[in-house]
Amino acid sequence: MSSENLPQSTEQQLRKPRVAVVFGGRSSEHGISVVTAGAVLNAIDRTKYDVLPIGITTDGRWALTADEPERMAIVDRKMPDVAQLAESDEGGVVLSVDPGSREVVYSEPGAVPKALGEVDVVFPVLHGPYGEDGTLQGLLELSGVPYVGAGVLASAVGQDKEYMKRVFASFGLPVGPYVVVRPREWDQDQQAARKRIVEFAGDHGWPLFVKPARAGSSIGITKVEDASGLDEAIEEARRHDPKFLVESLLRGREIECGVLEFEDGPRASAPAEIPPVTSHDFYDFEAKYIDAAPGIVPAPLTEDQTAEVQRLAVEAFEAASCEGLVRADFFLTEDGGFVINEINTLPGFTPISMYPRMWRESGVDYPQLVDRLIQAALNRPTGLR
């Protein structure tokens, strides 16, 4: 019997739903995940929900952390870390994989394990591999615990830029030129892989963008002006992921659009524009999170352009079988058409992030957004759906 069909006890019916906010993780986006968790913890209505913060350290330990959002902020341009928030250097949190139980247990070496009670829903705010890529979602499916956001398939597709583009192209969505270099190809013949990239540049022109295939927050991306910068850019991308992509420069405006699941289906937000960042070569990690480069909300588009990018954003959401939320990123090219760059199934979710800002412009403020996502997860069964 699946957990969603189990009868609720009287205690379950009387108590507030318990939300486990899971953050941190093993990816290079660990710090921004902690910042996001602080914002979500601040926004959750404590009169409506009980909250259990669980941080995952950079080495993968699930740690019980203090419920202190004020300690989860960027200070002096430095990112926070789960290790600084953990209540113990050795203790670990374990979630049962028995779908008949949603019990969370905390244990420390030499001590009797302590039951922390059941969790009704998980709000994962992990970015990148080992969290946003379907791995955590698979664990939660095995455990029978509802969770916010996309399922296993959509999370995996949304994390891997190669297969994301393949899915979009198969649904007729406009995708820009790119080439993929897989780990085995690079390990077996680097010269041939470089030659293929240079030939791609010959067809589409310099500059190119070299980026990890399965990373986000613009981490590991390098803008390469000519062949002399290629090796260093590849090394930086492969530092984050052994598979990398090379994309041509699409000249035009950067437009983003949020998608949120409502009772009647997904809806698109007011779009935003990311203007050229004069202090950075492109809209990279530091521009997004450290220097907080401002986006324009709503984007200065015509009514027809707004309607078109909203339509494409919802189509991308549906094409990848997403649930809950997505931020879809586009280029409005010089010929007036939209090209989809990527989707984020767990987009940046700090108060300054574009996704919450777009929904605030659309009439859904940050606390309402968090509540809607939790309620949607509570009402959605685990398992095949």
Side-chain angles (χ1 to χ4, degrees), residues 12-352:
Q12 284 177 311
Q13 293 171 358
L14 293 176
R15 66 175 173 81
K16 292 181 287 188
R18 196 172 206 202
V19 182
V21 178
V22 181
F23 61 96
R26 294 162 57 188
S27 84
S28 51
E29 298 172 78
H30 178 99
I32 195 60
S33 173
V34 179
V35 175
T36 299
V40 171
L41 288 169
N42 259 328
I44 292 178
D45 184 350
R46 303 309 176 94
T47 67
K48 192 172 181 178
Y49 306 104
D50 285 327
V51 178
L52 178 66
I54 300 174
I56 301 178
T57 62
T58 53
D59 60 2
R61 178 172 64 93
W62 288 45
L64 190 63
T65 66
D67 185 5
E68 299 176 358
E70 65 277 4
R71 294 173 58 197
M72 303 179 184
I74 300 171
V75 179
D76 296 329
R77 301 176 69 89
K78 293 181 180 178
M79 288 287 176
D81 190 283
V82 167
Q84 302 165 354
L85 303 164
E87 295 193 351
S88 165
D89 293 335
E90 296 182 307
V93 174
V94 177
L95 177 66
S96 172
V97 292
D98 177 2
S101 169
R102 295 174 179 174
E103 189 81 17
V104 175
V105 175
Y106 177 74
S107 62
E108 291 189 79
V112 176
K114 176 185 177 183
L116 299 178
E118 292 193 344
V119 166
D120 297 291
V121 62
V122 169
F123 199 130
V125 292
L126 295 141
H127 300 296
Y130 312 110
E132 191 181 351
D133 60 351
T135 50
L136 176 66
Q137 290 75 14
L139 172 64
L140 296 173
E141 291 287 351
L142 287 173
S143 301
V145 179
Y147 53 92
V148 168
V152 175
L153 173 66
S155 296
V157 168
Q159 186 65 38
D160 191 311
K161 294 177 175 62
E162 175 193 359
Y163 288 98
M164 181 198 308
K165 292 175 185 293
R166 290 181 181 273
V167 167
F168 290 157
S170 73
F171 276 81
L173 289 160
V175 175
Y178 70 98
V179 62
V180 180
V181 179
R182 297 188 177 90
R184 187 179 295 115
E185 178 185 0
W186 181 255
D187 293 339
Q188 289 179 349
D189 195 338
Q190 295 182 15
Q191 185 176 350
R194 284 192 195 91
K195 183 174 182 290
R196 193 154 65 90
I197 295 169
V198 172
E199 289 174 348
F200 175 80
D203 292 335
H204 300 285
W206 300 91
L208 301 176
F209 287 91
V210 179
K211 57 178 66 176
R214 294 162 291 193
S217 297
S218 298
I219 286 176
I221 299 178
T222 305
K223 184 180 180 181
V224 183
E225 298 293 344
D226 54 48
S228 66
L230 199 53
D231 286 352
E232 186 178 351
I234 291 170
E235 182 179 345
E236 172 61 15
R238 282 176 52 81
R239 196 165 64 84
H240 300 279
D241 188 345
K243 181 167 89 166
F244 63 94
L245 272 77
V246 179
E247 297 176 347
S248 64
L249 172 67
L250 292 175
R251 300 188 185 279
R253 298 161 61 188
E254 293 188 48
I255 306 295
E256 298 183 349
C257 191
V259 180
L260 180 63
E261 195 167 12
F262 287 76
E263 290 79 6
D264 59 351
R267 301 181 198 170
S269 70
E273 180 169 5
I274 308 301
V277 185
T278 56
S279 59
H280 295 262
D281 202 23
F282 62 98
Y283 193 49
D284 61 5
F285 179 85
E286 287 206 355
K288 286 181 180 179
Y289 298 111
I290 303 298
D291 296 329
I296 302 170
V297 186
L301 301 171
T302 68
E303 286 187 16
D304 287 346
Q305 288 171 332
T306 295
E308 176 65 2
V309 77
Q310 290 175 326
R311 180 187 71 80
L312 290 170
V314 171
E315 282 196 15
F317 182 96
E318 298 282 31
S321 298
C322 294
E323 294 168 295
L325 73 164
V326 148
R327 192 193 73 229
D329 300 347
F330 298 86
F331 290 103
L332 177 54
T333 61
E334 292 175 340
D335 65 4
F338 285 99
V339 174
I340 188 164
N341 183 36
E342 63 180 30
I343 58 169
N344 280 267
T345 56
L346 194 65
F349 213 82
T350 68
I352 65 166

